[in-house]
Amino acid sequence: MQKILSLMRKACNDYNLIEDGDKIAVGVSGGKDSLLLLAALAAYRRFCPQKYTLVAISVDLSNGKMDYSEIEKYCEKLNVPFKLVPSNVFEVVFDTRKEQNPCSLCANMRRGLLNTAAKELGCNKVALGHHKDDLVETFIMSLFFEGRLSTFKPKTYLSKTDLNVIRPLIYCEEKDIVSFSEKLPVLHNICPVDHKSQRENAKIFLKEIDKKYNDAKNKIFNAIIHTERYNLFDK
């Protein structure tokens, strides 16, 4: 956890992610990334120079088929209030709409429910568990499937909801999170396309090129975050 906290503090300092008086909604899907983010932010309260409060929000996509009781207990242990938002997102995406590529619609609906709950609870920021690997994978997906040079940012302002979305784990690698995941109450993912998505393909692709070309993933990451290295066409 010490390494995670150190990298998170660097991200917070580099991108001004946390400010005095923030009330931060942590989006807790039940996966290892969001649970580690919750634990890290709860621990960071002890020595962060800025004072902030937390609330954990889980959006139940399964219409009650998933059990969040262990996550609620974990939040109590961390002294973080917990809010469960019921929804029928899976039903809409897979049964009603029968989406061929369901991840985009599912993500949009989930984000909308999360942001609405965050506003209702008086939060000004939403923290998501995206990490270094996620950033590079998103870049690869945008490049190959959309023909765009694009990925998410460490901090994004949403004007429609007046919320800032922050990603404090942006410098953390997935392997560091995996090493800590045994201590977390990870929820079994019942999504029908779990490990079958385009993101999973991007993950596999990155592993392959990282083996073939030494440290390729880190080089892509550094190319993204160091804007002074950009050398692209300019109309």
Side-chain angles (χ1 to χ4, degrees), residues 64-222:
K65 294 177 182 177
M66 298 173 71
D67 182 7
Y68 288 82
S69 58
E70 290 302 314
I71 291 178
E72 185 171 11
K73 291 177 185 175
Y74 190 63
C75 289
E76 290 177 3
K77 179 181 176 183
L78 296 174
N79 194 28
V80 175
F82 175 73
K83 168 76 172 178
L84 180 63
V85 180
S87 82
N88 61 343
V89 170
F90 280 171
E91 182 181 333
V92 171
V93 172
F94 295 108
D95 299 334
T96 304
R97 295 279 295 267
K98 295 181 170 58
E99 290 286 322
Q100 294 294 318
N101 299 298
C103 296
S104 178
L105 177 61
C106 182
N108 286 337
M109 294 179 70
R110 184 178 66 245
R111 281 196 296 266
L113 291 164
L114 173 62
N115 293 343
T116 298
K119 289 297 290 184
E120 289 174 352
L121 292 170
C123 299
N124 66 311
K125 289 181 180 174
V126 173
L128 302 179
H130 296 131
H131 47 67
K132 184 177 185 177
D133 297 65
D134 288 327
L135 183 138
V136 179
E137 289 161 14
T138 301
F139 177 80
I140 293 295
M141 290 167 65
S142 295
L143 179 63
F144 288 169
F145 300 119
E146 300 174 355
R148 295 193 305 145
L149 295 174
S150 177
T151 190
F152 54 78
K153 298 178 181 179
K155 185 177 183 179
T156 305
Y157 177 66
L158 306 179
S159 57
K160 288 184 178 180
T161 54
D162 191 29
L163 285 169
N164 276 291
V165 176
I166 61 173
R167 296 173 170 92
L169 299 182
I170 198 74
Y171 289 148
C172 301
E173 294 190 68
E174 186 171 23
K175 64 182 181 181
D176 297 322
I177 296 173
V178 169
S179 66
F180 194 82
S181 61
E182 291 182 0
K183 301 176 182 178
L184 303 169
V186 176
L187 193 63
H188 173 63
N189 191 346
I190 66 170
C191 174
V193 295
D194 187 34
H195 296 302
K196 300 174 186 176
S197 64
Q198 296 293 4
R199 181 168 293 279
E200 188 66 23
N201 293 334
K203 191 185 296 288
I204 293 169
F205 172 76
L206 279 170
K207 284 182 180 179
E208 290 175 352
I209 64 170
D210 211 40
K211 289 178 182 178
K212 188 171 183 179
Y213 304 104
N214 184 44
D215 208 30
K217 182 182 69 179
N218 281 326
K219 289 173 182 173
I220 296 172
F221 177 79
N222 286 325

